[in-house]
């Protein structure tokens, strides 16, 4: 534990401004706390919040009225169908970088999640801009990315890498208005994991003893999880698994877990 602490300390010192760094079981974890990340800049929405508070009207209503005024000043559009809302369909109606159509969706999300409209905007309002950053990460590190996903009810993002966390990835993560956890040295990439899964699926489709099967890959653990329904349930499940002779992944960091099921699985061999 002392060695791990020293290594973590050295790593943190060697990468200034990267947030807290820990090294556990060979993996490297860098946390960029939300308090140190940029805040979403939404001056128009902040003004509309103040207007809603002073007028006593719901923020969602105030936002809708504002969007209608913006839509009215944009180029004319056809209104020949029932329920047409130019503010929703007009691509030019954007408030603080958020298309109004997304703000309408956030109202539905707020209702389904049982949260306020304000909280829905805070938690989910940056998804379009976040997606652009995630797309850059995937595009710049196609062979290194090892899982990208939201955590903590969309308040945070986890990004994994096969090898060390690239400095460029930290730079991109620094632009996100949320806590970002970057995990390096996982030993496998998402692309490798998908290839391993697809190879296993293709193999199982060729096996005559398999009735139906499904397979999914877990970016967190590096595991391909396979469920197989045999045409006839075996007396010895372990012997049946060995008899499948599943191809083993080239990467030792990727493992395969097989479960036998008596029930039909949705995916059938082709």
């Amino acid at each position: 534990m002392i060695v791990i602490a020293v290594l973590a300390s050295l790593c943190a010192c060697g990468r200034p401004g990267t947030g807290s760094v820990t090294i556990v079981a060979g993996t490297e974890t860098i946390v960029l706390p939300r308090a140190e990340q940029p805040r979403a800049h939404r001056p128009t929405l902040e003004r509309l919040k103040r207007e809603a508070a002073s007028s006593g009207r719901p923020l969602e209503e105030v936002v809708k009225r504002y969007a209608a005024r913006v839509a009215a000043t944009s180029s004319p559009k056809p209104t020949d169908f029932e329920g047409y809302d130019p503010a929703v369909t007009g691509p030019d109606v954007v408030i603080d970088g958020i298309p109004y159509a997304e703000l309408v969706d956030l109202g539905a999300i707020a209702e389904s999640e049982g949260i306020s409209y304000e909280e829905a905007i805070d938690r989910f309002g940056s998804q379009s801009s976040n997606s652009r950053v995630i797309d850059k990460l995937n595009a710049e590190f196609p062979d290194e990315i090892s899982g990208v996903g939201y955590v903590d009810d969309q308040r945070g993002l986890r990004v994994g890498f096969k090898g060390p966390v690239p400095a460029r990835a930290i730079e991109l993560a620094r632009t996100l208005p949320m806590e970002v956890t970057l995990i390096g040295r996982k030993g496998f990439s998402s692309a490798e994991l998908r290839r391993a899964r697809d190879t296993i699926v293709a193999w199982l489709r060729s096996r005559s003893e398999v009735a139906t099967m499904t397979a999914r890959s877990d970016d967190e653990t590096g595991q391909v999880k396979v469920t197989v329904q045999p045409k006839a349930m075996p007396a010895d499940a372990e012997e049946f698994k060995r008899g499948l002779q599943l191809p083993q992944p080239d990467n030792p960091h990727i493992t395969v877990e097989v479960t036998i099921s008596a029930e039909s699985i949705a995916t059938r061999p082709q």
Side-chain angles (χ1 to χ4, degrees), residues 41-63:
H41 185 59
R42 297 172 181 153
T44 301
L45 283 169
E46 289 301 323
R47 177 170 59 78
L48 295 178
K49 283 182 184 179
R50 293 192 295 271
E51 180 182 329
S54 63
S55 66
R57 296 196 304 271
L59 175 61
E60 193 169 0
E61 178 187 331
V62 173
V63 169

Side-chain angles (χ1 to χ4, degrees), residues 169-180:
I170 298 173
E171 178 185 344
L172 289 171
R174 280 285 185 200
T175 67
L176 295 169
M178 59 173 58
E179 179 168 294
V180 183

Side-chain angles (χ1 to χ4, degrees), residues 145-270:
I145 284 286
S146 181
V148 181
Y150 287 103
V151 295
D152 191 22
D153 291 330
Q154 308 284 325
R155 294 184 180 90
L157 189 74
R158 284 172 66 89
V159 187
F161 294 90
K162 178 180 179 178
V165 177
R168 169 61 175 162
I170 298 173
E171 178 185 344
L172 289 171
R174 280 285 185 200
T175 67
L176 295 169
M178 59 173 58
E179 179 168 294
V180 183
T181 301
L182 303 119
I183 304 171
R185 306 182 190 277
K186 291 176 66 175
F188 64 91
S189 68
S190 295
E192 287 178 308
L193 195 56
R194 286 192 298 271
R195 287 195 294 269
R197 180 200 62 201
D198 293 346
T199 298
I200 290 170
V201 168
W203 178 262
L204 287 172
R205 283 175 174 167
S206 71
R207 303 295 298 190
S208 61
E209 66 267 54
V210 175
T212 61
M213 56 83 191
T214 186
R216 66 182 183 88
S217 50
D218 188 334
D219 283 323
E220 282 295 312
T221 63
Q223 190 172 65
V224 178
K225 298 183 178 182
V226 182
T227 303
V228 174
Q229 180 206 14
K231 288 184 177 177
M233 283 301 292
D236 188 331
E238 293 304 316
E239 183 179 352
F240 178 83
K241 292 178 187 179
R242 289 192 293 270
L244 290 174
Q245 299 180 328
L246 289 177
Q248 294 303 303
D250 295 331
N251 188 333
H253 293 279
I254 297 176
T255 59
V256 181
E257 176 187 274
V258 181
T259 302
I260 304 300
S261 172
E263 302 297 327
S264 176
I265 310 301
T267 305
R268 295 181 179 275
Q270 301 295 314

Side-chain angles (χ1 to χ4, degrees), residues 43-99:
T44 301
L45 283 169
E46 289 301 323
R47 177 170 59 78
L48 295 178
K49 283 182 184 179
R50 293 192 295 271
E51 180 182 329
S54 63
S55 66
R57 296 196 304 271
L59 175 61
E60 193 169 0
E61 178 187 331
V62 173
V63 169
K64 182 176 182 178
R65 290 187 178 193
Y66 174 81
R69 292 197 299 270
V70 174
T73 62
S74 62
S75 58
K77 297 179 177 64
T79 58
D80 57 353
F81 57 91
E82 185 178 355
Y84 174 79
D85 184 347
V88 172
T89 56
D92 298 330
V93 184
V94 178
I95 304 176
D96 292 336
I98 307 173

Side-chain angles (χ1 to χ4, degrees), residues 2-39:
I2 293 175
V3 172
I4 291 175
V6 171
L7 286 173
S9 174
L10 289 173
C11 185
C13 292
R15 304 176 77 167
T18 58
S20 62
V21 182
T22 57
I23 298 177
V24 179
T27 61
E28 169 194 27
T29 300
I30 299 173
V31 178
L32 307 178
R34 179 172 182 173
E36 298 176 11
Q37 294 288 91
R39 290 179 59 85

